[in-house]
Amino acid sequence: MTSINTAWSALGGDPELVARVSDEVRRDVLDAGLPVREAARACVAACSLAAAELGARRTGAAEVPSVRVDDGAVATAFVSERHLRVDGRATAGFAPLSRFWRTSDGWVRTHANYPHHRARLLAALDLPDGGSGGGDPREADAVADALAARTSAEAEDAVYAAGGLAVALRTPGEWAAHPQAAEVRARPLVERAVLDAPPAPPLAPLVRGAGPLLPAAGLRVLDLTRVIAGPVATRTLALLGADVLRVDAPHLPELPVQHIDTGFGKRSARLDLVVDGRTFDALLGSADVVVTGYRPGALDRFGLSPLALARRRPGVVVAQLSAWGAHGPWRERRGFDSLVQAATGIAVAEGSTERPGALPAQALDHGTGYLLAAAVLRALTERADDGASRVVRLSLARTAEWLLRGVPREPGPGAACDSPDPWLTERDSPYGRLRHALPPLSFAGGPGDWARPPTRWGTDAARWE
């Protein structure tokens, strides 16, 4: 079975629709020891097909439009943050304290891009915070010395206990023997369920007007996600016509490069769920989709569990994303793509235990993001039949498991891909002139770019347009 068949089956799609998909295979893109190109292509193809299916359903079309996926467009989109330019300037990558470090018995991978994560890392290692933001080489030397005196497991436990982020480098076999891996393997690539709550009226059909008939037009999406995977999913829903409102806590500003790269098509508001509960209730009252990217259970105390949301807003589609999955001993741990690569054995598969490697893109983030968007689109299509609320769940760790053990190589000569230029464009924005990657979704009648550039973080009103 090809990767697109596997992804589409995980989404609950009609297997006969896979015949609507064709692809442009290109060599020398997303080259890796693991089948990253095949997985990325499958994720984007599944999302494109789900969009085409929903559009056909809402317009009453006799058949689902054809889908064509170009490896060049996919590869460019999967490293969109690297292609981003603001007034011609490249944007920053990982922070100085976000990397692999030697320990007494191996390696540990840390993530300290956010100031609060950096502070917790230093506190866990009993190091002072000099206020340099990690830019002082002496601070990095001190972290290196502190970690070198610990085993990888000791470092992992100490940093997580302090609220920071660090994982020990594991081989694929070591991860397979871990209790969290067992929980991850026990779940499908995409978890899907109907929620026991009152139904909603059927999804409104699309009526031809002056503009294009985008599959998600008229739908409202509450975006409670951060960093890459979740925002990629909601950025994709915005591309397809949804009114996407990203909501962040006022005390947790987003990193500028992440917000710009994944903010196309959306609006961005700040909202304290404790102080501004009534405002959130008003937003939820007419939302079609709620997407969350926090640790499982972290938002339940605000009445944002899937079942609570469905009872408050009949017919809502709830999409949940996490790093390690909703079950198992690591379910409440924070995580990022780079950490999941290190823990699951991907870093060893792409390098060795002596020199850890990495995927050619943050492919767990981007791939899971497109699968999450596809799951939402398919849930909306299914909701058109019965009006029932649904929940879909994905995790970076489950996508990693699929990449490691479930994605087959699909050899082929492929066309040359000498430059990403065909899949880059420029536009003005509140941040200045942006160069950015075009969306990789392509189906008959589909959009070629987002309707609007990213707005500045947290500057939009917390209301629907």
Side-chain angles (χ1 to χ4, degrees), residues 293-306:
Y294 293 82
R295 291 170 296 151
L299 298 178
D300 290 3
R301 68 183 186 278
F302 300 110
L304 302 184
S305 70

Side-chain angles (χ1 to χ4, degrees), residues 24-40:
E24 179 69 38
V25 177
R26 296 184 184 273
R27 61 180 182 267
D28 303 327
V29 298
L30 297 177
D31 285 340
L34 294 169
V36 177
R37 180 179 64 175
E38 290 84 351

Side-chain angles (χ1 to χ4, degrees), residues 243-260:
D243 179 7
V244 178
L245 179 65
R246 172 166 166 167
V247 176
D248 283 284
H251 66 284
L252 288 176
E254 183 58 286
L255 300 173
V257 61
Q258 302 291 358
H259 179 70
I260 297 171

Side-chain angles (χ1 to χ4, degrees), residues 123-432:
L125 302 177
D126 296 321
L127 296 175
D129 186 345
S132 69
D136 186 344
R138 292 172 297 181
E139 186 170 87
D141 290 343
V143 170
D145 291 341
L147 290 171
R150 292 168 165 83
T151 67
S152 298
E154 289 170 347
E156 180 180 88
D157 291 343
V159 175
Y160 264 107
L165 294 113
V167 298
L169 178 73
R170 291 173 173 84
T171 66
E174 288 170 339
W175 174 248
H178 195 281
Q180 186 61 34
E183 292 287 351
V184 169
R185 284 194 305 273
R187 315 294 163 181
L189 180 61
V190 180
E191 295 183 61
R192 305 161 46 247
V194 175
L195 294 168
D196 182 17
L203 193 61
L206 288 171
V207 179
R208 186 169 296 280
L213 296 179
L214 298 178
L219 300 177
R220 290 172 169 173
V221 177
L222 269 174
D223 177 5
L224 308 180
T225 69
R226 294 174 65 80
V227 197
I228 297 179
V232 163
T234 52
R235 180 183 70 181
T236 302
L237 297 174
L239 170 76
L240 298 170
D243 179 7
V244 178
L245 179 65
R246 172 166 166 167
V247 176
D248 283 284
H251 66 284
L252 288 176
E254 183 58 286
L255 300 173
V257 61
Q258 302 291 358
H259 179 70
I260 297 171
D261 181 54
T262 61
F264 287 91
K266 311 179 197 177
R267 292 177 298 119
S268 170
R270 288 177 286 175
L271 198 66
D272 187 316
L273 295 181
V274 174
V275 177
D276 302 312
R278 290 186 179 179
T279 301
F280 185 85
D281 288 344
L283 291 171
L284 178 62
S286 58
D288 298 282
V289 179
V290 178
V291 186
T292 68
Y294 293 82
R295 291 170 296 151
L299 298 178
D300 290 3
R301 68 183 186 278
F302 300 110
L304 302 184
S305 70
L307 186 56
L309 287 168
R311 289 174 174 168
R312 294 166 67 186
R313 171 57 173 162
V316 71
V317 171
V318 182
Q320 294 186 315
L321 170 76
S322 64
W324 306 106
H327 309 273
W330 282 17
R331 64 181 297 273
E332 295 184 354
R333 288 196 174 191
R334 299 174 179 86
F336 293 91
D337 183 305
S338 58
L339 300 181
V340 176
Q341 287 190 42
T344 59
I346 288 176
V348 173
E350 294 297 328
S352 68
T353 54
E354 288 303 311
R355 186 178 294 275
L359 299 176
Q362 294 191 69
L364 304 181
D365 265 331
H366 286 273
T368 307
Y370 288 110
L371 283 178
L372 185 65
V376 169
L377 296 166
R378 288 243 58 255
L380 289 167
T381 298
E382 293 174 343
R383 194 189 80 171
D385 292 326
D386 55 21
S389 298
R390 285 169 166 80
V391 60
V392 296
R393 292 190 184 94
L394 289 92
S395 72
L396 302 186
R398 186 61 182 84
T399 302
E401 176 70 21
W402 180 50
L403 177 62
L404 279 162
R405 298 177 178 87
V407 179
R409 284 283 186 191
E410 298 170 19
C417 186
D418 299 324
S419 168
D421 289 349
W423 303 286
L424 298 174
T425 191
E426 292 191 2
R427 69 196 307 172
D428 292 321
S429 79
Y431 291 90

Side-chain angles (χ1 to χ4, degrees), residues 46-65:
C47 190
S48 297
L49 188 55
E53 178 192 34
L54 178 61
R57 181 61 178 268
R58 296 187 70 195
T59 58
E63 64 178 10
V64 173

